[in-house]
Amino acid sequence: MGIIERIKEIEAEMARTQKNKATEYHLGQLKAKIAKLRTQLLEPPKGSSGGGDGFEVTKFGHGRVALIGFPSVGKSTLLTMLTGTHSEAASYEFTTLTCIPGIIHYNDTKIQLLDLPGIIEGASEGKGRGRQVIAVAKSSDLVLMVLDASKSEGHRQILTKELEAVGLRLNKRPPQIYFKKKKTGGISFNSTLPLTHVDEKLCYQILHEYKIHNAEVLFREDATVDDLIDVIEGNRKYIKCVYVYNKIDVIGIDDVDKLARQPNSVLNLDRLLSKMWEEMGLVRVYTKPQGQQPDFSDPVVLSADRGGCSVEDFCNHIHRSLIKDVKYVLVWGSSARHYPQHCGLGHYLQDEDVVQIVKKKEKEEGGRGRFKSHTTGPARISDREKKAPLKT
């Protein structure tokens, strides 16, 4: 029996099992088995070189956005309108067969937009080049899920299920669970608050399913069994997603109003770019040379997903060796309490801040005058140059 058949068999068993207090331990074990099998499904077959036939493109710009959706929902048209890059659009499905990149110029930044082939139900199992599409989405900073407004709810659930099956978590944050494997000592289970979804026995059974018998587990929130399995797997990607609705002219005004009130939803192009900017959390920082005006033409773009937004991250973005020469920085902008503010490396910058770096002064070798610490001559007496004897 193959991995896909085993997954379907376990899912059928879970559907047959009633959900109550007596069966929660059994359901927890079944969920752990499915997670293990799906991880095996994503691994390359043994003996292969690992190359694959994907269509990954080189990262470019300050952020990457992937267009995900069913065939013929308007992804190629959206790419053409936002970037000017031509992507073939036609009245038949699977017009786009490969990844087509484009660049959005917005707020002095460059955002890479990827038009991917449409995915169908069963994409996580490899149908319709679904694995390659989802692999590109995993490397993105934001997912734009393009939906047909007349079929939005059904398509949205199917796409979310397919993405979650391969480890993508949309609009979720990592669970506050500390997990660390140990060599000895058994399993240590603790929590900082009362738990309603997981108890110690269920945690032990899930860890034993993964053949983990020595570990430390600490719950800092009331997490579920799925959250615990995600932490144990350790290969989940938490990514933000914006739902873009196309073809809204085929539905009534009541349905349009309902879609507009859903979180992370966009119905028009005017709001789309600003929503993308807001979700990606890009921070523009302008540099100011000492004694000169700030340079507003070429900002340094930071983000929490790509390194961080502190002064230390800003210095590392310019050059790795710069940080050891920094004495302090002067900051103008919304992150400063007064202008200018003297800040250290731990200060967090905000959008459109101006930063001036003040370097440490180079010390003169040996000091000055009679406080000179050493001479320029050789250190050992035997190496010193002998003076010529006096003439008599």
Side-chain angles (χ1 to χ4, degrees):
M1 185 182 293
I3 296 177
I4 297 175
E5 288 78 11
R6 289 163 63 189
I7 290 174
K8 289 181 178 179
E9 185 180 345
I10 295 174
E11 286 177 343
E13 185 179 350
M14 289 178 63
R16 291 193 304 266
T17 306
Q18 293 183 350
K19 294 181 181 179
N20 53 49
K21 198 71 176 176
T23 60
E24 63 178 6
Y25 301 112
H26 179 60
L27 289 172
Q29 282 185 312
L30 293 179
K31 287 180 180 179
K33 286 180 180 179
I34 286 181
K36 284 177 62 179
L37 291 172
R38 281 179 175 156
T39 302
Q40 293 176 19
L41 195 63
L42 295 176
E43 292 175 353
K46 293 182 179 179
S48 65
S49 60
D53 56 346
F55 37 70
E56 177 67 285
V57 294
T58 306
K59 279 193 174 184
F60 179 81
H62 305 109
R64 169 180 275 198
V65 179
L67 291 171
I68 295 289
F70 274 81
S72 298
V73 292
K75 299 186 297 298
S76 300
T77 306
L78 183 62
L79 175 82
T80 304
M81 293 183 70
L82 291 177
T83 66
T85 304
H86 175 68
S87 180
E88 187 178 353
S91 58
Y92 52 88
E93 294 185 348
F94 294 107
T95 310
T96 304
L97 299 176
T98 186
C99 178
I100 300 176
I103 300 298
I104 300 174
H105 297 270
Y106 186 72
N107 285 348
D108 297 327
T109 61
K110 297 175 183 177
I111 301 172
Q112 187 180 43
L113 185 65
L114 302 180
D115 179 21
L116 299 170
I119 61 177
I120 57 176
E121 191 171 0
S124 58
E125 301 169 2
K127 292 182 180 178
R129 301 196 74 183
R131 288 187 194 171
Q132 291 91 330
V133 174
I134 295 172
V136 176
K138 270 191 171 183
S139 65
S140 304
D141 303 308
L142 178 70
V143 169
L144 287 185
M145 189 180 290
V146 185
L147 300 166
D148 187 340
S150 60
K151 311 170 186 175
S152 60
E153 195 57 41
H155 284 187
R156 178 171 170 173
Q157 291 178 359
I158 293 171
L159 291 173
T160 303
K161 180 182 176 183
E162 295 296 331
L163 293 175
E164 287 191 347
V166 294
L168 273 174
R169 298 292 179 263
L170 303 180
N171 295 326
K172 293 181 181 178
R173 58 179 180 82
Q176 297 296 308
I177 302 175
Y178 173 77
F179 172 74
K180 183 181 179 182
K181 291 183 183 179
K182 298 189 297 184
K183 293 184 178 179
T184 58
I187 296 174
S188 172
F189 179 86
N190 293 291
S191 63
T192 60
L193 74 170
L195 301 178
T196 59
H197 304 289
V198 181
D199 59 7
E200 190 170 355
K201 181 182 175 182
L202 180 57
C203 179
Y204 280 22
Q205 287 187 347
I206 292 173
L207 289 173
H208 289 165
E209 186 65 38
Y210 282 92
K211 298 180 181 179
I212 298 173
H213 306 288
N214 300 286
E216 187 176 348
V217 182
L218 173 63
F219 282 77
R220 296 193 179 97
E221 66 177 6
D222 189 14
T224 62
V225 177
D226 296 321
D227 293 334
L228 176 60
I229 293 172
D230 288 348
V231 172
I232 295 171
E233 285 284 348
N235 58 357
R236 304 302 190 231
K237 175 75 182 290
Y238 297 86
I239 190 169
K240 294 181 179 177
C241 178
V242 175
Y243 303 99
V244 182
Y245 293 95
N246 191 20
K247 305 178 184 178
I248 60 172
D249 53 338
V250 301
I251 59 175
I253 190 65
D254 294 336
D255 295 328
V256 172
D257 183 66
K258 182 181 176 182
L259 292 177
R261 294 180 185 277
Q262 293 184 0
N264 302 309
S265 298
V266 177
L267 301 180
N268 52 43
L269 279 174
D270 299 333
R271 174 72 178 132
L272 179 58
L273 288 176
S274 60
K275 183 66 176 177
M276 284 171 52
W277 178 266
E278 177 187 335
E279 292 296 331
M280 294 180 74
L282 297 179
V283 174
R284 293 164 294 172
V285 181
Y286 300 99
T287 56
K288 180 185 180 302
Q290 196 167 357
Q292 300 179 28
Q293 292 295 320
D295 180 15
F296 291 110
S297 60
D298 188 18
V300 176
V301 182
L302 308 173
S303 69
D305 297 330
R306 292 195 177 192
C309 300
S310 65
V311 172
E312 182 177 359
D313 302 320
F314 169 75
C315 296
N316 287 330
H317 195 279
I318 296 174
H319 200 278
R320 290 286 180 183
S321 63
L322 177 62
I323 197 162
K324 63 183 180 182
D325 299 327
V326 175
K327 185 177 182 182
Y328 60 89
V329 296
L330 298 174
V331 179
W332 293 262
S334 54
S335 69
R337 296 181 181 177
H338 49 81
Y339 300 153
Q341 180 180 346
H342 286 61
C343 300
L345 297 175
H347 179 78
Y348 280 91
L349 301 168
Q350 295 181 12
D351 193 27
E352 296 188 313
D353 279 358
V354 177
V355 174
Q356 176 183 325
I357 297 176
V358 179
K359 290 186 176 181
K360 299 173 185 176
K361 292 184 178 179
E362 296 182 3
K363 295 182 180 179
E364 295 184 7
E365 291 187 5
R368 294 180 179 177
R370 62 193 182 95
F371 298 104
K372 204 167 183 180
S373 59
H374 63 276
T375 62
T376 57
R380 296 190 304 174
I381 295 176
S382 59
D383 294 337
R384 292 179 184 173
E385 184 180 353
K386 293 180 181 181
K387 293 183 179 180
L390 293 173
K391 293 181 180 180
T392 54

